[in-house]
Amino acid sequence: MLITTTPTLDTAKVVKYIGLVSGEAILGANIFRDLFAGIRDIVGGRSAAYEAELRKAKDIAVQEMQQQAASLGANAVIGVDLDYETIGNGGSMLMVSASGTAVVVEHLA
């Protein structure tokens, strides 16, 4: 399935607009990762643990969006938007949402 952030496609023609699809992922951050991330905040540097959790949440959200689109008969999702939020006490959870427009495309020769 084609997934793109752009609202139009160069290599395919949209022949049917199905509608909005979305996927969400909420992941709790491990307390030990929080501790090490706090230390990195003090001394500087990147937090590989948080980066890995963000990638995991993004992959889950996009996969859920893609599955919803496929169940509606779409073969592409265009105009995809990804949103990242921290929620819970002290930002203890990560939420990623993916949304876009499910469409049927015809590939151009």
Side-chain angles (χ1 to χ4, degrees), residues 68-80:
Q68 183 183 17
S71 73
L72 295 171
N75 64 357
V77 181
I78 60 173
V80 173

Side-chain angles (χ1 to χ4, degrees), residues 2 9 11 17 20 39 54 56 60 88 94:
L2 176 64
L9 304 168
T11 60
Y17 288 86
L20 179 67
I39 292 169
L54 281 172
K56 181 178 175 182
I60 291 168
L94 304 169

Side-chain angles (χ1 to χ4, degrees), residues 3-9 77-82:
I3 306 288
T4 182
T5 59
T6 61
T8 59
L9 304 168
V77 181
I78 60 173
V80 173
D81 180 52
L82 295 171

Side-chain angles (χ1 to χ4, degrees), residues 27 33 37 39-40 44 49 54 57 60-62 64-65 67 76 87 90 95 97 105-106 108:
L27 300 174
R33 291 181 188 160
I39 292 169
R40 280 211 178 90
L54 281 172
I60 291 168
V62 170
E64 281 188 7
M65 179 189 65
Q67 288 172 348
I87 58 175
M95 180 182 78
S97 62
V105 299
E106 177 183 273
L108 303 174

Side-chain angles (χ1 to χ4, degrees), residues 23-85:
E24 296 80 23
I26 299 174
L27 300 174
N30 183 300
I31 190 166
F32 296 112
R33 291 181 188 160
D34 287 346
L35 174 64
F36 292 123
I39 292 169
R40 280 211 178 90
D41 286 343
I42 294 168
V43 298
R46 293 172 60 175
S47 174
Y50 273 123
E51 289 173 359
E53 286 298 305
L54 281 172
R55 274 192 296 280
K56 181 178 175 182
K58 176 195 62 99
D59 291 344
I60 291 168
V62 170
Q63 184 177 47
E64 281 188 7
M65 179 189 65
Q66 183 177 346
Q67 288 172 348
Q68 183 183 17
S71 73
L72 295 171
N75 64 357
V77 181
I78 60 173
V80 173
D81 180 52
L82 295 171
D83 291 312
Y84 295 83
E85 298 288 335

